Amino acid sequence: MSKILEVNDLKMYFSYKKNFIGQTTQTLKAVDGVSLYIDEGEILGLVGESGCGKTTTGRSIVRLLNPTDGNIIFLGDDITHKNKKELQSIYKNIQLIFQDPYASLNPRKKVGKAIMEVLKVHGENDKNKQIEKTKELFSMVGLNDQAMEKYPHEFSGGQRQRVIIARALAVSPKLIICDEPVSALDVSIQAQIINLLIELRDKLGLSYLFISHDLRVIQYISDRVSVMYLGKIVEEATTEALFSNPLHPYTMVLLSSVNGQHKEQPLLPGEVPSPVNPPSGCSFRTRCPFAMDICAQETPELLNQNKNHKVACHLYTKENNE
Ligand code: SF4
């Protein structure tokens, strides 16, 4: 299987003045050395608590943000430093779906017209063909032809997300970055949208980077999962391996909360440290029940435990097990 996306050591730092006279500059390390890949037709889940850097990772990959360091290879092409004009042809192949579909639609434009305009921008000038293609896209996402004549506010949240998916499909993308696409929806509607995304992946051979804080959603949709904490990937595995045998203490706590344990106690002890001033060594050490001396001194690398599983934790490095 060939890789559709490869991200190597991606860093996204934001600098800002600490005080109002601008004397001290601080650096917020929102994404701090993330590497990941997605194979053709694969769904990679990216999971972590709010503020861990997963959304910034997604936005950096599509170059809505200019990464501080690292590189992004899409379909074999290094897109890290491409300019706006060069990125236009990339955006035909990568699309984004956000959490709030209402904010992504023009409230004064009928949704059918909005999609026809996308088709026009990408070279389809024949109006009849635009209409036919829009009907086809709507049918693909479970909407009828009458939906074309409606404004965004006339849809339910789930239907609006279907419109957004149809618009993303209008350019026949190869990769879709889905950033919390179902978080704002009722649970029953969430399942419908997730099943639709899986169905479209199977039918069209799409790949997804699926970003979510919700482990149950991630487990359901993903082929592989990367777990993120404070700007770094701390564990990466096939979905089966991660959920049956989590290795990183952070993943263990996240999973135990989903499985109904820890009901009487806080999910994790302590506060999430600031990405401006993260702990030395392992950034999880201030909350980790297994922290050792070395955890404050050395940052653990993301290393293979076996073919399907990588973890960044000193508990699994040879010298700490001897
Ligand atoms: Fe805990 Fe140390 Fe592993 Fe970090 S490296 S997760 S502090 S045991």
Side-chain angles (χ1 to χ4, degrees):
M1 212 181 284
S2 59
K3 287 189 179 74
I4 191 159
L5 177 77
E6 200 176 338
V7 174
N8 300 305
D9 204 17
L10 185 73
K11 293 180 181 153
M12 189 66 236
Y13 295 171
F14 300 96
S15 294
Y16 63 93
K17 302 288 182 201
K18 191 183 172 192
N19 57 22
F20 68 95
I21 48 171
Q23 280 176 330
T24 319
T25 301
Q26 289 208 319
T27 304
L28 186 152
K29 297 179 176 179
V31 178
D32 194 16
V34 163
S35 296
L36 53 84
Y37 70 90
I38 304 177
D39 282 327
E40 257 175 49
E42 188 182 38
I43 303 178
L44 176 69
L46 184 60
V47 69
E49 290 169 294
S50 166
C52 71
K54 53 194 190 307
T55 288
T56 308
T57 301
R59 285 172 185 247
S60 304
I61 289 172
V62 290
R63 296 282 322 282
L64 290 178
L65 297 166
N66 286 326
T68 309
D69 206 353
N71 62 37
I72 303 154
I73 314 290
F74 178 63
L75 291 171
D77 192 10
D78 188 339
I79 64 166
T80 323
H81 303 291
K82 287 202 184 290
N83 62 33
K84 266 190 184 168
K85 198 171 163 209
E86 291 167 328
L87 284 170
Q88 287 317 307
S89 60
I90 308 295
Y91 291 148
K92 187 167 160 30
N93 286 316
I94 308 183
Q95 287 287 299
L96 262 164
I97 296 174
F98 294 111
Q99 177 178 352
D100 181 2
Y102 198 63
S104 324
L105 290 164
N106 182 341
R108 287 190 290 276
K109 194 170 279 176
K110 289 178 180 173
V111 296
K113 187 151 188 271
I115 291 178
M116 286 166 65
E117 282 179 4
V118 173
L119 293 168
K120 191 174 176 192
V121 167
H122 286 89
E124 182 51 81
N125 290 315
D126 183 321
K127 200 165 177 190
N128 288 329
K129 285 191 181 160
Q130 290 171 9
I131 292 170
E132 280 317 302
K133 179 71 183 171
T134 305
K135 284 182 183 171
E136 194 188 308
L137 289 164
F138 272 32
S139 153
M140 231 183 251
V141 300
L143 294 171
N144 59 30
D145 295 353
Q146 286 76 48
M148 285 177 67
E149 294 302 318
K150 291 185 179 174
Y151 291 93
H153 73 269
E154 295 179 89
F155 293 98
S156 66
Q159 286 171 330
R160 267 198 294 274
Q161 201 55 290
R162 287 175 190 269
V163 172
I164 292 294
I165 295 169
R167 190 178 64 180
L169 295 178
V171 296
S172 306
K174 294 194 164 44
L175 171 68
I176 301 183
I177 301 205
C178 309
D179 187 1
E180 301 274 9
V182 296
S183 313
L185 305 174
D186 292 343
V187 173
S188 60
I189 309 294
Q190 284 187 1
Q192 291 173 17
I193 298 295
I194 290 165
N195 285 331
L196 172 65
L197 287 169
I198 293 172
E199 193 186 305
L200 292 169
R201 185 276 298 264
D202 295 344
K203 196 166 165 184
L204 305 172
L206 299 166
S207 306
Y208 302 137
L209 173 62
F210 194 95
I211 297 169
S212 177
H213 69 282
D214 188 332
L215 270 166
R216 279 164 299 195
V217 170
I218 287 283
Q219 182 177 20
Y220 189 74
I221 196 168
S222 310
D223 299 309
R224 245 176 344 106
V225 181
S226 288
V227 180
M228 208 166 167
Y229 184 79
L230 219 62
K232 294 181 190 294
I233 304 289
V234 296
E235 185 161 3
E236 181 205 302
T238 58
T239 306
E240 197 193 344
L242 188 99
F243 283 83
S244 62
N245 182 29
L247 297 179
H248 197 281
Y250 177 59
T251 316
M252 289 178 196
V253 179
L254 287 182
L255 283 194
S256 63
S257 69
V258 169
N259 295 337
Q261 299 156 20
H262 293 279
K263 272 188 181 153
E264 305 302 324
Q265 59 194 84
L267 181 62
L268 277 170
E271 303 272 311
V272 183
S274 163
V276 174
N277 190 18
S280 61
C282 172
S283 54
F284 188 58
R285 73 176 168 82
T286 52
R287 304 169 87 191
C288 179
F290 308 110
M292 307 168 275
D293 288 346
I294 190 176
C295 305
Q297 292 148 14
E298 289 179 26
T299 306
E301 282 179 60
L302 188 66
L303 298 173
N304 276 318
Q305 290 306 305
N306 60 51
K307 193 163 75 69
N308 297 325
H309 216 141
K310 289 181 180 178
V311 66
C313 174
H314 290 305
L315 287 174
Y316 304 95
T317 46
K318 197 167 162 264
E319 55 272 27
N320 295 314
N321 282 309
E322 284 170 349

